[in-house]
Amino acid sequence: MQKWTAHRMSPIAELFNTWAKRYQTLVWMLIPNPIGGPTTGRFYSRAETGAEEAELVQQSALEPWHPEDETAPNDGNESELDREQREARMRERNHVADVYNTYLRFGWPDSFDKERCRIELLALEKRKDADERRRMKSINPDAAFFN
C-alpha cells in the first residue's frame, strides 16, 4: 500500500464483486423512493458495522430476520434523550427487517417477483413516512400552525 492511501486498494473487479455479493445477500438493499420517482431510491443495510457486514455476506441461506429489542438499563437512570435514541434505532432496525423480509416473501433470489415486491416496498415506505410525520407532529408544539 502506498503511504498516501488510507484504505486498502483492490482491483475494480474485486470491488464490484464484493458490492454485488452484498446486494445478492440482502446485506445492502436499495428500494424505490415513494417521493422521488423511478430514478431515486433509499438505501438500507442490515449491518451496523463492517464486521457484521462481512459475517452477513457469508451466510449460506437467507432466513427471515427479527431484530431483538434493545432493553432499557435496569437501573432506571436512562435519560429521555437516551430513551428516544434507543427507540429510534429500534424503529429503524425493525423497518430494515421489514424491507429484508419483504424481499424474502417475494421469492428473493430464485423466484423473485420484482413488480409485486416493488409495490409492497413502496407501500411500506409510505407507511414509514406517514409514521415519521405523525411522530414529528406529536412532538412539535407548533404543528397546529402548519399543514
Side-chain angles (χ1 to χ4, degrees), residues 4-85:
W4 60 271
T5 59
H7 303 285
R8 177 172 105 57
M9 294 174 56
S10 60
I12 195 71
E14 182 183 330
L15 173 70
F16 286 149
N17 287 337
T18 302
W19 283 17
K21 182 75 171 164
R22 283 175 173 83
Y23 284 107
Q24 290 164 352
T25 56
L26 296 177
V27 175
W28 291 351
M29 297 166 282
L30 182 64
I31 65 170
N33 184 347
I35 297 170
T39 59
T40 65
R42 293 181 180 171
F43 176 83
Y44 294 105
S45 175
R46 288 192 293 146
E48 293 183 332
T49 65
E52 187 179 1
E53 193 173 89
E55 182 181 322
L56 289 170
V57 167
Q58 298 305 316
Q59 284 182 333
S60 58
L62 300 178
E63 297 180 2
W65 174 42
H66 306 284
E68 295 179 20
D69 285 337
E70 292 181 23
T71 56
N74 292 332
D75 60 9
N77 291 330
E78 183 179 39
S79 71
E80 182 179 355
L81 176 62
D82 289 340
R83 181 181 53 78
E84 288 292 332
Q85 289 176 336

Side-chain angles (χ1 to χ4, degrees), residues 11 99 104:
V99 169
L104 295 185

Side-chain angles (χ1 to χ4, degrees), residues 98-111:
D98 289 343
V99 169
Y100 170 79
N101 291 329
T102 299
Y103 272 98
L104 295 185
R105 258 194 330 277
F106 287 99
W108 183 269
D110 300 324
S111 57

Side-chain angles (χ1 to χ4, degrees), residues 83-92 94-95 126-143:
R83 181 181 53 78
E84 288 292 332
Q85 289 176 336
R86 178 178 47 79
E87 289 173 358
R89 276 192 312 273
M90 278 314 302
R91 279 193 305 274
E92 186 65 19
N94 287 329
H95 181 70
K126 287 179 182 177
R127 285 192 303 271
K128 178 186 182 230
D129 289 349
D131 185 50
E132 286 295 319
R133 281 191 303 276
R134 182 192 53 75
R135 184 173 287 102
M136 295 303 287
K137 196 177 222 181
S138 72
I139 62 174
N140 181 357
D142 296 328

